Amino acid sequence: MAEVEQLEAALGQGGPSMLRADTMVRRMLDLGLRSGEVARLGLDDIDWEAGTITLRRTKGRREDVMPLPEATGRAIAAYPRDERPKTQHRMVFARHMTPRERPIGPDLVRKTIRQPLAPCWRKTTGSDHRKAILEWANAGAAAAEFT
């Protein structure tokens, strides 16, 4: 439970790329996304009117349409408005350093969420980050608590 409290306290902190990290973690918590699914999400994959998000090229090589939780939608909307650098590509997340026009990959997602949330991590690597986040959330912290 202490890890959940640390994770919760780490969200919403100021600093470079923190809004991007918060939005990535929010997606992983609320939707159970893998780092590759977070990296590949495009602006056109979000249907704001229907309140859905479309995942393309999932691990099962299918296309999934999922409901978009309100808190996740707010986080996704805030990142392009407040922190995302201008780019020509339509991916939700962008590199904050050159080459900005090259879309991010799963490794950058893992690096981005690991840095600001370092106090919360046990010794985890790669896909274990997603498992740890979901484990903490399931350990008693409802997704709504992570704002």
Side-chain angles (χ1 to χ4, degrees):
M1 192 58 117
E3 290 172 332
V4 173
E5 291 168 2
Q6 285 181 318
L7 177 60
E8 187 175 21
L11 294 175
Q13 301 294 315
S17 303
M18 288 301 289
L19 187 55
R20 178 175 70 177
D22 289 355
T23 304
M24 288 177 177
V25 170
R26 165 80 43 210
R27 288 229 199 107
M28 294 175 94
L29 276 172
D30 293 350
L31 301 172
L33 300 186
R34 294 172 176 81
S35 56
E37 293 164 341
V38 170
R40 286 189 299 272
L41 191 68
L43 295 168
D44 300 323
D45 295 332
I46 303 167
D47 185 337
W48 295 105
E49 285 186 23
T52 61
I53 191 166
T54 301
L55 300 177
R56 303 176 199 288
R57 300 185 335 244
T58 63
K59 185 175 180 176
R61 296 192 175 142
R62 61 181 186 268
E63 190 171 288
D64 293 328
V65 178
M66 303 175 69
L68 181 62
E70 189 176 324
T72 307
R74 282 194 309 269
I76 293 170
Y79 170 68
R81 181 188 66 227
D82 299 336
E83 188 177 278
R84 185 183 187 277
K86 293 183 190 282
T87 64
Q88 298 297 314
H89 67 74
R90 301 276 303 152
M91 304 311 288
V92 170
F93 294 108
R95 294 175 182 275
H96 287 206
M97 299 172 67
T98 58
R100 286 193 176 133
E101 292 303 326
R102 196 170 116 210
I104 68 167
D107 288 342
L108 184 56
V109 172
R110 288 188 291 269
K111 179 182 174 188
T112 300
I113 64 174
R114 185 172 40 238
Q115 184 177 7
L117 304 176
C120 307
W121 294 127
R122 296 174 301 206
K123 292 187 178 189
T124 58
T125 59
S127 65
D128 289 339
H129 290 158
R130 175 178 169 266
K131 291 175 190 168
I133 288 172
L134 293 173
E135 181 181 303
W136 296 335
N138 290 332
E145 293 176 351
F146 293 85
T147 58

